[in-house]
Amino acid sequence: MELTQLKYFLEVAKNEHVTQSAKNLCIVQPALTQAIHKLEDELGVSLFKTSGRNIKLTESGKFFYEQLQPIYNEMVALPKKLQEVANQQNNNIKLNVLAASALFTNVVIEYKQTHPNINIDMIQNEETDLSDFCVRTFSSYKPELDNFRSDELFVRSEKIFLAVPNIAKYKKLDSISLFDLGDEKFIRLYGSKQYRKICNELCEKIGFRTETTFESDNSAAIKEAVAGGIGVCFWPEVTWGKMDHKKVKLLEITDTEFKRDIVVAYRRNKQNSIHTDEFYNFMLNYDAKKRWKKKNF
């Protein structure tokens, strides 16, 4: 059965008049009659019977009409519904944030202020690749070793400082060797997050071991803990925000280059990528005054 045949049948069934139905469909009557006969042959039943000079639906025709009408209406409406779904998908952006979540939360908030109709779903899932953007971090990103599929990516590099309480022993310092910390304990980011792994790798590189006294998954809480003299911590220059606490001081680490790369991978998996392209460019240019170091590959 073809959709055109079904359309012709429904029109004739509604009018029970072939000539009028042909006019409504803008086709000649013989073509309409032939289409109805062909449909009856395919179904193996008679759909109409002659009643004087008019035609009437048979019992089989009535059943077919009642069953077909709602299905046909759904089929006719399907392209419009499909377009609505596509538009909704195009207006929805999925951002998988595996690093620098505080920074990219601010990115989303600022973007939504001027694009209220765009939905941005932020997730943190290392197991999925179903996202438009994925934010990751590495001590030193090497694209040739990266198996993550992406159509485009940008990489930003930031220093990692040592955040210490602003007390007499640190007041006159601008830099420090980790080996000069003595028995100072560390405040660490809680969990097996990528940033903590990077800090561990950098410490292992120089043979330095840390002793953890406090853990938190909140950078603001870590800042207050350092200010309170609980310990020291590794503080990323950009992504945790400006160190604006008067009781905390940032020192450059001299033992090796303490830094990390923030990598944003973009997958163009939408039919219409206008909105994702706009958001990608917004992230690229976000807060240009921050001390990012762009890396090109």
Side-chain angles (χ1 to χ4, degrees):
M1 291 181 292
E2 298 177 358
L3 192 60
T4 302
Q5 288 178 295
L6 302 179
K7 177 183 177 181
Y8 289 175
F9 165 75
L10 291 171
E11 184 65 27
V12 177
K14 181 176 68 174
N15 298 312
E16 293 190 327
H17 197 288
V18 177
T19 303
Q20 185 58 49
S21 297
K23 289 181 180 179
N24 295 343
L25 294 167
C26 299
I27 62 172
V28 295
Q29 182 176 326
L32 178 58
T33 301
Q34 184 180 4
I36 295 299
H37 288 329
K38 184 179 179 182
L39 179 61
E40 289 178 322
D41 290 341
E42 289 183 14
L43 294 173
V45 297
S46 295
L47 300 173
F48 296 97
K49 62 184 177 181
T50 304
S51 178
R53 304 179 73 176
N54 297 323
I55 59 171
K56 296 287 184 181
L57 285 166
T58 63
E59 288 302 314
S60 296
K62 289 179 181 178
F63 175 80
F64 188 55
Y65 177 76
E66 291 170 357
Q67 297 296 313
L68 177 61
Q69 186 67 70
I71 297 173
Y72 181 82
N73 291 342
E74 286 292 323
M75 293 176 67
V76 170
L78 189 57
K80 183 179 179 181
K81 291 182 178 179
L82 186 61
Q83 188 60 54
E84 290 174 353
V85 170
N87 290 338
Q88 185 177 5
Q89 289 177 339
N90 290 332
N91 289 341
N92 189 77
I93 296 172
K94 183 161 288 189
L95 177 63
N96 192 8
V97 184
L98 303 178
S101 58
L103 173 68
F104 283 90
T105 298
N106 291 333
V107 171
V108 170
I109 291 172
E110 191 168 321
Y111 186 80
K112 287 282 289 180
Q113 290 174 356
T114 54
H115 300 78
N117 296 326
I118 303 300
N119 300 313
I120 301 179
D121 297 329
M122 291 183 66
I123 61 172
Q124 289 183 314
N125 188 344
E126 293 186 359
E127 304 300 322
T128 185
D129 58 0
L130 299 177
S131 62
D132 299 297
F133 302 97
C134 185
V135 183
R136 297 168 297 151
T137 187
F138 302 84
S139 57
S140 182
Y141 180 67
K142 295 178 174 58
E144 65 274 12
L145 301 179
D146 189 5
N147 295 322
F148 190 86
R149 182 183 63 80
S150 63
D151 298 305
E152 194 170 341
L153 58 82
F154 73 84
V155 182
R156 295 289 189 268
S157 183
E158 66 176 344
K159 284 184 177 181
I160 298 175
F161 290 92
L162 185 71
V164 298
N166 196 9
I167 55 178
K169 65 184 289 189
Y170 299 121
K171 256 189 191 309
K172 295 182 179 181
L173 298 179
D174 294 318
S175 60
I176 193 170
S177 167
L178 295 180
F179 295 96
D180 292 335
L181 288 174
D183 58 356
E184 195 79 73
K185 295 183 179 179
F186 275 75
I187 301 165
R188 306 298 298 271
L189 189 66
Y190 176 76
S192 57
K193 295 189 177 182
Q194 294 179 358
Y195 175 66
R196 179 164 180 165
K197 181 181 177 182
I198 289 170
C199 292
N200 289 342
E201 288 175 352
L202 290 170
C203 287
E204 289 173 6
K205 180 180 178 181
I206 61 174
F208 180 78
R209 298 183 64 180
T210 63
E211 183 178 348
T212 302
T213 184
F214 175 74
E215 293 182 331
S216 175
D217 60 359
N218 185 289
S219 59
I222 291 176
K223 184 193 298 185
E224 291 299 327
V226 174
I230 295 176
V232 299
C233 80
F234 296 116
W235 188 275
E237 180 181 18
V238 177
T239 51
W240 283 13
K242 185 179 180 181
M243 177 53 77
D244 53 3
H245 204 302
K246 294 181 179 180
K247 293 185 178 180
V248 179
K249 185 172 183 177
L250 296 182
L251 302 178
E252 190 166 345
I253 301 168
T254 60
D255 303 292
T256 188
E257 186 182 19
F258 264 73
K259 59 91 178 174
R260 69 166 173 169
D261 293 337
I262 304 295
V263 181
V264 179
Y266 178 16
R267 291 174 170 171
R268 286 187 172 87
N269 51 20
K270 287 183 169 57
Q271 185 176 7
N272 184 343
S273 62
I274 292 176
H275 297 310
T276 47
D277 283 347
E278 287 180 350
F279 183 63
Y280 180 66
N281 290 326
F282 183 84
M283 287 192 291
L284 274 172
N285 298 305
Y286 178 76
D287 205 351
K289 294 180 181 179
K290 288 187 179 294
R291 290 168 290 179
W292 286 111
K293 292 181 180 179
K294 184 177 180 181
K295 299 187 73 172
N296 298 311
F297 296 99

